[in-house]
Amino acid sequence: MSWSKAARWLVWAISLGLLCGFAWSRLDLAQPINTNILTLLPAQNDSAALTQATERTRNAFVHELLALVSGTNAADTRAAAEAARRAMLAAGLQAENSGQTFEQAQRVFQRHHFALLNPAQAKHLRGGGAKALATDVAVSLASPAGMVSANGRDPGGYLTQFLADLPRPYPDFLPNGPFLSATRDGRHYFLLRLEVRGAAFAKQGSALAAAAVSEARNAVQQACADCRFEATGAPLFADAARREAKSETIWLTVISTLLIMALIAFVYRSFAPHVLAALQLVASVAAAAAAVIAIFGSINILTLVFGTTLLGIAIDYAFLYFAEYWFGSSPPRNVMRKIRGGLGVALAAGALAFAFLAGTGFPALMQIAVFSVAGLLEAGLVVALIFPVTLTRPPTVAAHPAVNWPRRFIARACRPSHWRYIMPAVLLALAIPGWFFLHASDDVRELQHFPPRLMHTDQHIRTILGRFPPPGFFLIEAPDLNQALAREETLFAHVAQQLPQANAVGLSRFLPSTARQQASLVAWQSVFASPAKLRAAFAQMGLPPALGDHIETAWHAAPRDPLTAQELFAAVPDLHKFVIRTNDGVALLATVFGQSNLNAAALRQAAAGLANVQFVDPLARIADTFERIRVRASWLVVIGYLLISGILVWRYGRREALRMLWPPLLALGVTLGALGWIGVPLNVFVVVALILILGLGRDYAVFLREVGARERSPALAVTLSAMTTLLSFGLLSLSQIPALSAFGLATLIGILASYLSAPLSLPPERENP
């Protein structure tokens, strides 16, 4: 090997090695492939309180795991639930002890039960005095649950009512040791609420949750063969999405590679193209992944799935070289010189088109932009440095019919004919009505596929529990905690009036405002203002007067101060999650659950008109951000294409540039029309597909124009490029991820239209044989 050849190999190897080495130093070894889709979501410019509230609600959702054990025999079912709990704790999950938490809270509420009347009760006692108390005690004693009133711990059952009104995660399920349990239709249910440590959407957290569920299911089957175990939660969906994305990455890569290899073998009848194409593709993907890791620290699984489709673009440059080397008119030493113009223009325009994606502000598109630009540059570098010093001998493969038909197709399509103009016009006319059926969808849930089995299990568990995840949360801000509690109480009164079936959850349900507690204490003060009236009222109701004395003694012995947040938080630290400290005071986080999916608009209406109270719908906010990004990306596509058009005008002149722009623009119109007809929504990934359609359609025109439209090699290169792109990108239309499926379908339609319209970039007389 000569020094010049060795130098080329050395330059290429060192450049790729340095990039990969730097990426290795930046790699997050604990999570090299990030499966957390949330990291791809755009950042929100929110207040500190709203940011914290969003993060808390998101963490509560993504870390929670619900496991439900059911059976017909109570003892056996409980034993199975205990076995499941032990297995899941041993696997590394954390469990919530609802029973112990309830007991701690109950002791605090018992000490301050005189301050915990609801407004109706306080009004009743304040208006009726001793007689109202005697009546309530008599009614309470008439029920078995009210017998606790006899010893004065809960006069009239007021504390019992307060405890009954406390928000419960699931209304029909009561604390039962470490579980929540219920009996329905002769079947016993035991609910385990667990949390996943660390990043629940990351590989470690989601895999840990899936493994824990598998261990618990086996433990239940061993403990009780007739019992049923079900589990749901965001970590399980994340694990399924990770496995599915990994599977898709493998089969997309394998199938694309095999099909491309078969195509190469059929056309070139040589082993050398396989080796060089594989070298280029491996180097391109390695450089692309390394560039992403060097900048972001890891690579997201969605970027990796999308990146496998880079195979269809990177190999275009190899096909351009191979076509000229094997079947072109240039000797081996002049091949690079012959294709240099087309390769350079196509590479510059492609990199520029993808680079504009980085300006969208969307982390997913930024990663894809870096991946694509780095991969394309590496592909061009391999062609420029390695191919000329490897393919140095004249080829021995003779041209065969498959090599000649692309040129015949281009030549026939370039013959002067009315059909040359009628067919595109008819196609465009058919596409235009589809434009009016286009609609956008910026739903973040389209970023991943939800397996039907998990969806069915989740729906069944939520139905049994009688609770569905809320569509959002309320944020109540105030200068201090007491004012925030009062505002939350007003909000909950609106919610109860407008949505009587909903169950509001917030700190004020556990800790009434100071004003409400003071009103409760004042009501009790009026009851005990006259001991003689109290005794007389009890006697009148047929109750022992001594019972009234006993209740009065309890009143004088009880603390007269309202229950404070410090005392409640000391007993139940979990209630801290409702409070967010801010520079301007405090904010409370509250939400509303229902027995079915609640309407976000109704909840927003409940908060309307209340000062410093807002309803936050995280999915709607993200969708709004996606919409802005989609619009911004669309404008960046337009701007980028105008710049690329400027490059074409500078190189070819205005008339030729306009002719070369017509095929990709026609393909764009046809693609949008087809998407409208079949009902595929527009999203940011479809915008990426439009960039590819415009870019590859432009490359076809550049290849034909630069290398020579009369010759066999550019027509062959363009055809092979289109076929490999259809193979790699078209396979994405089979993806289970809706966003990638839409991307693949749009690309499939657009590239086919781009190839078929490529001859329109050439004047008829130029290609007329």
Side-chain angles (χ1 to χ4, degrees):
M1 179 182 295
S2 66
W3 281 107
S4 61
K5 294 182 179 179
R8 284 173 173 258
W9 278 95
L10 193 61
V11 168
W12 169 73
I14 290 176
S15 63
L16 183 59
L18 289 175
L19 178 59
C20 293
F22 180 69
W24 180 262
S25 68
R26 291 268 300 151
L27 180 64
D28 181 2
L29 295 177
Q31 190 176 321
I33 299 178
N34 186 1
T35 59
N36 187 355
I37 302 297
L38 296 178
T39 60
L40 293 181
L41 302 184
Q44 303 280 354
N45 295 322
D46 297 326
S47 65
L50 183 53
T51 299
Q52 290 187 57
T54 302
E55 183 177 355
R56 288 189 189 181
T57 55
R58 183 174 63 194
N59 288 341
F61 174 73
V62 302
H63 288 89
E64 184 181 54
L65 196 67
L66 300 177
L68 192 65
V69 181
S70 61
T72 55
N73 183 280
D76 291 345
T77 306
R78 184 181 180 89
E82 290 174 345
R85 185 173 186 271
R86 288 193 299 270
M88 299 181 88
L89 292 178
L93 299 185
Q94 293 177 318
E96 176 185 312
N97 193 333
S98 301
Q100 182 180 1
T101 301
F102 180 78
E103 291 174 359
Q104 293 171 346
Q106 190 173 16
R107 287 194 291 269
V108 173
F109 295 140
Q110 175 64 48
R111 287 197 299 271
H112 293 273
H113 69 274
F114 286 109
L116 301 178
L117 295 176
N118 62 43
Q121 293 168 335
K123 182 179 180 181
H124 173 65
L125 290 183
R126 191 168 57 250
K131 183 178 180 180
L133 173 61
T135 302
D136 290 344
V137 171
V139 173
S140 177
L141 289 174
S143 66
M147 292 302 292
V148 294
S149 298
N151 60 19
R153 291 191 309 164
D154 186 16
Y158 303 115
L159 177 60
T160 302
Q161 185 63 48
F162 176 83
L163 295 176
D165 290 340
L166 286 177
R168 285 182 289 168
Y170 309 102
D172 295 335
F173 282 70
L174 297 176
N176 187 340
F179 310 107
L180 294 173
S181 66
T183 300
R184 187 179 301 169
D185 298 329
R187 195 167 184 85
H188 303 277
Y189 295 90
F190 288 86
L191 174 67
L192 293 83
R193 302 176 66 191
L194 304 109
E195 288 187 352
V196 178
R197 296 172 179 171
F201 271 17
K203 179 180 179 181
Q204 295 85 346
S206 60
L208 183 148
V213 166
S214 178
E215 292 292 333
R217 181 175 287 108
N218 293 335
V220 168
Q221 289 302 310
Q222 292 177 7
C224 175
D226 295 330
C227 293
R228 181 179 181 182
F229 176 86
E230 298 173 287
T232 189
L236 299 181
F237 282 92
D239 180 72
R242 177 181 61 83
R243 294 176 182 274
E244 189 173 78
K246 181 179 179 180
S247 174
E248 282 194 3
T249 300
I250 293 174
W251 74 261
L252 281 174
T253 302
V254 170
I255 293 178
S256 296
T257 302
L258 290 177
L259 290 175
I260 291 172
M261 290 178 64
L263 187 62
I264 292 174
F266 175 72
V267 172
Y268 294 106
R269 317 287 171 90
S270 173
F271 187 68
H274 289 289
V275 176
L276 292 176
L279 175 67
Q280 185 207 41
L281 295 178
V282 170
S284 300
V285 174
V292 172
I293 293 172
I295 295 176
F296 300 98
S298 64
I299 185 168
N300 197 279
I301 190 68
L302 195 63
T303 304
L304 197 57
V305 171
F306 177 90
T308 59
T309 59
L310 182 66
L311 305 179
I313 301 179
I315 204 170
D316 291 353
Y317 308 146
F319 281 150
L320 184 63
Y321 195 99
F322 293 159
E324 182 62 26
Y325 172 78
W326 260 273
F327 306 113
S329 58
S330 303
R333 65 177 180 275
N334 294 333
V335 170
M336 189 62 211
R337 185 183 308 166
K338 181 71 175 291
I339 71 166
R340 183 181 293 124
L343 177 63
V345 174
L347 183 59
L352 181 62
F354 276 112
F356 267 85
L357 288 179
T360 61
F362 182 21
L365 293 185
M366 292 174 68
Q367 280 204 14
I368 290 173
V370 172
F371 192 100
S372 300
V373 171
L376 293 181
L377 291 177
E378 180 65 23
L381 188 65
V382 172
V383 171
L385 290 180
I386 306 303
F387 284 17
V389 297
T390 304
L391 299 174
T392 56
R393 298 179 180 178
T396 58
V397 178
H400 48 88
V403 174
N404 293 317
W405 77 257
R407 184 180 63 172
R408 294 195 187 101
F409 165 73
I410 298 294
R412 184 176 295 273
C414 287
R415 291 176 182 174
S417 170
H418 294 299
W419 290 106
R420 176 179 166 88
Y421 305 102
I422 293 175
M423 288 300 295
V426 170
L427 195 60
L428 192 60
L430 293 174
I432 289 176
W435 298 354
F436 299 97
F437 295 107
L438 285 172
H439 67 282
S441 175
D442 301 296
D443 193 340
V444 66
R445 287 167 291 191
E446 292 186 357
L447 291 179
Q448 65 184 104
H449 174 247
F450 299 102
R453 178 181 58 83
L454 287 180
M455 289 295 293
H456 175 76
T457 301
D458 181 80
Q459 183 73 17
H460 181 258
I461 292 177
R462 303 288 181 186
T463 302
I464 294 294
L465 298 178
R467 282 290 181 264
F468 289 83
F473 60 88
F474 293 102
L475 189 66
I476 304 99
E477 299 182 80
D480 56 58
L481 181 59
N482 187 53
Q483 292 187 55
L485 289 170
R487 290 175 179 175
E488 186 177 272
E489 289 169 346
T490 303
L491 168 66
F492 286 171
H494 284 216
V495 171
Q497 182 179 7
Q498 299 182 25
L499 299 167
Q501 301 301 321
N503 185 18
V505 180
L507 183 61
S508 65
R509 296 290 302 277
F510 301 89
L511 178 66
S513 64
T514 301
R516 180 170 292 186
Q517 292 191 61
Q518 290 289 4
S520 178
L521 294 171
V522 169
W524 282 111
Q525 183 69 47
S526 66
V527 169
F528 300 115
S530 173
K533 289 184 178 180
L534 181 63
R535 292 176 63 84
F538 270 69
Q540 186 178 359
M541 294 298 299
L543 299 173
L547 180 57
D549 295 338
H550 188 71
I551 296 174
E552 184 181 9
T553 300
W555 158 257
H556 289 295
R560 305 292 182 84
D561 296 329
L563 172 62
T564 63
Q566 291 76 12
E567 186 176 358
L568 182 61
F569 291 158
V572 191
D574 283 349
L575 294 180
H576 272 294
K577 64 186 179 183
F578 291 114
V579 182
I580 299 172
R581 300 291 177 181
T582 67
N583 295 331
D584 299 325
V586 68
L588 292 181
L589 177 62
T591 189
V592 175
F593 291 89
Q595 296 182 357
S596 60
N597 291 317
L598 294 173
N599 187 290
L603 296 175
R604 191 175 293 107
Q605 179 62 32
L610 299 179
N612 300 107
V613 177
Q614 60 175 317
F615 176 75
V616 181
D617 184 348
L619 289 180
R621 296 177 74 244
I622 293 173
D624 290 341
T625 304
F626 274 19
E627 180 182 6
R628 293 195 299 271
I629 290 174
R630 174 173 49 80
V631 173
R632 186 190 309 170
S634 300
W635 280 109
L636 287 174
V637 170
V638 174
I639 296 173
Y641 206 70
L642 289 176
L643 291 177
I644 293 171
S645 301
I647 295 176
L648 297 180
V649 171
W650 168 76
R651 180 157 182 88
Y652 304 113
R654 185 176 60 185
R655 183 174 181 179
E656 287 297 311
L658 291 176
R659 188 189 299 275
M660 295 170 69
L661 291 173
W662 166 236
L665 291 176
L666 175 63
L668 176 64
V670 170
T671 302
L672 290 175
L675 295 179
W677 279 117
I678 61 182
V680 174
L682 296 177
N683 54 39
V684 290
F685 292 95
V686 172
V687 173
V688 176
L690 300 182
I691 294 176
L692 290 176
I693 293 167
L694 291 171
L696 289 175
R698 176 210 57 242
D699 286 351
Y700 300 159
V702 169
F703 288 171
L704 293 176
R705 176 66 176 76
E706 284 285 341
V707 182
R710 288 179 174 273
E711 301 185 24
R712 178 170 49 198
S713 65
L716 177 62
V718 167
T719 301
L720 293 177
S721 171
M723 293 178 68
T724 54
T725 304
L726 289 174
L727 289 175
S728 56
F729 283 97
L731 287 174
L732 275 183
S733 62
L734 304 177
S735 173
Q736 295 295 316
I737 302 174
L740 291 182
S741 177
F743 168 83
L745 185 61
T747 308
L748 184 67
I749 297 170
I751 296 304
L752 183 60
S754 295
Y755 174 73
L756 294 178
S757 61
L760 298 177
S761 65
L762 303 171
E765 63 276 12
R766 180 170 298 174
E767 288 301 299
N768 199 18

